[in-house]
Amino acid sequence: MLSIGRRLSQAEGGAGTKDSAFVYFGLIKALEWAQEVLPVPVGDEKFREVAELDDEIARIKREREDQAGARRLDARTDAERQADIPADDMDALDRELVAVLKRRQAALSAINAARLGANQSTRDVISEIAI
């Protein structure tokens, strides 16, 4: 994601997500794509939280589709911008989507850490047996 963000930023002359809608929405799309191409084994209890987060992501996407026609220009005051208050309902949904995608990534990372620990334990047992 960092690499994608850097490339999008370079394409926009070094702009960040706060300065460029292109970079911001490019990262949103990349996060959505990553979530969609990493299928979750729904029947596995270890992935219960991830599956629940996937349901939450689907809900947010439906709400974003419903709001797509109601997007308005950014009418925030300078104080609201500095306080990083969402510009509209779509902006709030985008932020919610990013937060849920981060939680999903953290849940997958925890599962991966457990898997790596199990793999190392298995290697340790095999090496002890082989001695």
Side-chain angles (χ1 to χ4, degrees):
M1 290 308 302
L2 186 58
S3 176
I4 291 169
R6 285 183 180 143
R7 288 178 184 214
L8 290 170
S9 179
Q10 288 172 351
E12 282 287 287
T17 57
K18 291 185 179 185
D19 304 321
S20 169
F22 173 76
V23 175
Y24 179 82
F25 289 113
L27 285 172
I28 294 280
K29 281 302 192 188
L31 286 167
E32 289 176 352
W33 175 81
Q35 184 269 325
E36 289 170 3
V37 298
L38 297 172
V40 173
V42 179
D44 190 333
E45 183 60 27
K46 292 184 298 264
F47 288 90
R48 181 180 49 79
E49 180 182 4
V50 176
E52 289 171 359
L53 290 169
D54 285 344
D55 292 342
E56 183 70 7
I57 290 167
R59 179 196 61 80
I60 294 169
K61 285 182 177 182
R62 283 190 305 273
E63 287 185 29
R64 286 177 78 231
E65 288 174 14
D66 293 345
Q67 288 288 330
R71 189 107 203 206
R72 65 177 172 85
L73 294 175
D74 188 349
R76 294 177 296 172
T77 65
D78 288 340
E80 289 171 330
R81 280 191 194 89
Q82 288 178 350
D84 204 25
I85 295 172
D88 58 12
D89 291 340
M90 182 70 90
D91 191 19
L93 288 170
D94 288 342
R95 292 169 187 232
E96 184 180 0
L97 179 61
V98 169
V100 173
L101 287 168
K102 285 180 182 178
R103 287 179 36 215
R104 182 183 191 274
Q105 183 60 39
L108 287 172
S109 293
I111 292 167
N112 191 41
R115 181 186 61 81
L116 292 174
N119 287 348
Q120 184 59 50
S121 296
T122 302
R123 284 191 292 274
D124 292 346
V125 169
I126 291 171
S127 67
E128 288 176 14
I129 293 171
I131 293 177

